[in-house]
Amino acid sequence: MTQAIVFVEHAEGTPRRASLECVGAAVAAGATVLAVLTGTGAEAAAPLVAGASEAIVLTSDGYSPDAFAVACADLVNARGAKAFFAAATYRGKDLAPRVAALLDVNPFADCTGLSTEGGAFQVRRPWLAGKCIATLGTSGAVLVATTRLNAFKPAASGAPASVTQVAVTAAPKVRVTGIQAKAGTRLDVKEAPVVISGGRGLQDAEKFKILEDLAAAFGNAAVGASRAIVDAGWRPHNEQVGQTGKTVSPQLYIAVGISGAIQHLAGMRTSATIVAINKDKDAPIFKVADYGIVGDAFEIVPALTAAVKAIKSQA
Ligand SMILES: Cc1cc2nc3c(=O)[nH]c(=O)nc-3n(C[C@H](O)[C@H](O)[C@H](O)COP(=O)(O)OP(=O)(O)OC[C@H]3O[C@@H](n4cnc5c(N)ncnc54)[C@H](O)[C@@H]3O)c2cc1C
């Protein structure tokens, strides 16, 4: 069977969902997966990597992306693996191109499909702001790619038969000495299964409260924004969805008072289900929406919040 090496991130000993999706994508494509982990808690997280047949914990004195990339590339070569994958998180996007450079191949970023053809991996990824989907392979010996968050399902079963430790030996050029996480428990738009984004139709920053309320009613939703909103200073840039913001692919994307400019669509059109609320029936957002509600956001959103609360209270 074709082997893939997958970089698995974890938070205090629990594998991140984005990484489990990446492993699930490789398994569904027919690969056997060797998971590589690192950092405090990696030993605890390794046996929990569903779908991986083996896990290696890379040990080092702190995380260094360049030294870690050397260790990963060495593993690919030593195992004769046909692919190296990571989730398209900040760390995955930092690591995968370094591994690709060491293997002298081109990395494929933010892929939404993964398959094998005659034992070789292929990826699918949106091109031209999502206007077409390209299927791509590599002429190199190894395919290196990052997988889009929420685009794949974690493997349903299976756990590593063995977990071994390997020391990172390359001398680090860069070392991560600390990470300052922002206070607060808000879900990131890239990881949330439900994203509710607001646009200029919301009129001012205070009125985003109706989206916050809807997000709270769902319980697993993040609030996003169009660039017009971020440029106006109503919401922080880390909530911006689109070409110059974040690319999201949630189960449910609700666009409220957003016209649907091509640069916004580039960041959300691969969402599983898109709902658009706009008072202009000709707004371009309706062209990509699965469900469209023509009307005033200030009437529709509170009604939606009440409906979600009512359904949740029955559950
Ligand atoms: C290089 C470049 C990069 C860009 N990158 C991004 C990006 O990453 N993300 C992004 O979003 N944009 C991006 N843009 C900007 C983009 O082109 C649009 O200008 C922006 O998306 C428009 O934001 P909007 O939909 O909120 O506002 P508008 O286009 O002004 O739309 C507001 C909508 O609200 C509706 N509306 C008004 N009142 C109500 C109401 N009461 N109820 C319901 N609906 C109502 C209106 O009918 C309208 O459709 C980029 C542009 C450029 C040139």
Side-chain angles (χ1 to χ4, degrees), residues 140-297:
V142 183
L143 186 140
V144 176
T146 57
T147 54
R148 182 171 291 186
L149 278 61
N150 283 322
F152 301 95
K153 287 196 172 74
S157 60
S162 67
V163 178
T164 43
Q165 286 197 351
V166 172
V168 176
T169 50
K173 293 181 193 142
V174 174
R175 196 188 293 283
V176 178
T177 55
I179 295 174
Q180 281 187 326
K182 259 193 163 180
T185 51
R186 279 186 183 203
L187 278 172
D188 188 278
V189 287
K190 274 180 89 78
E191 299 200 37
V194 178
V195 175
I196 304 158
S197 289
R200 206 154 18 203
L202 282 173
Q203 297 173 357
D204 60 48
E206 283 67 40
K207 301 219 176 65
F208 263 73
K209 170 90 170 54
I210 61 168
L211 303 194
E212 299 278 3
D213 291 346
L214 180 55
F218 273 108
N220 59 351
V223 173
S226 70
R227 176 164 161 177
I229 293 327
V230 174
D231 285 352
W234 299 358
R235 304 293 294 190
H237 181 257
N238 66 359
E239 292 181 5
Q240 184 183 317
V241 172
Q243 190 179 315
T244 44
K246 288 181 176 171
T247 303
V248 302
S249 209
Q251 290 304 309
L252 174 62
Y253 187 86
I254 306 179
V256 184
I258 291 179
S259 57
I262 184 73
Q263 297 89 354
H264 187 80
L265 302 186
M268 45 62 76
R269 69 189 314 160
T270 57
S271 304
T273 301
I274 298 169
V275 176
I277 301 169
N278 198 302
K279 68 178 186 185
D280 174 9
K281 69 174 176 40
D282 296 321
I285 191 77
F286 287 128
K287 290 199 179 123
V288 299
D290 299 286
Y291 300 94
I293 306 172
V294 179
D296 188 342

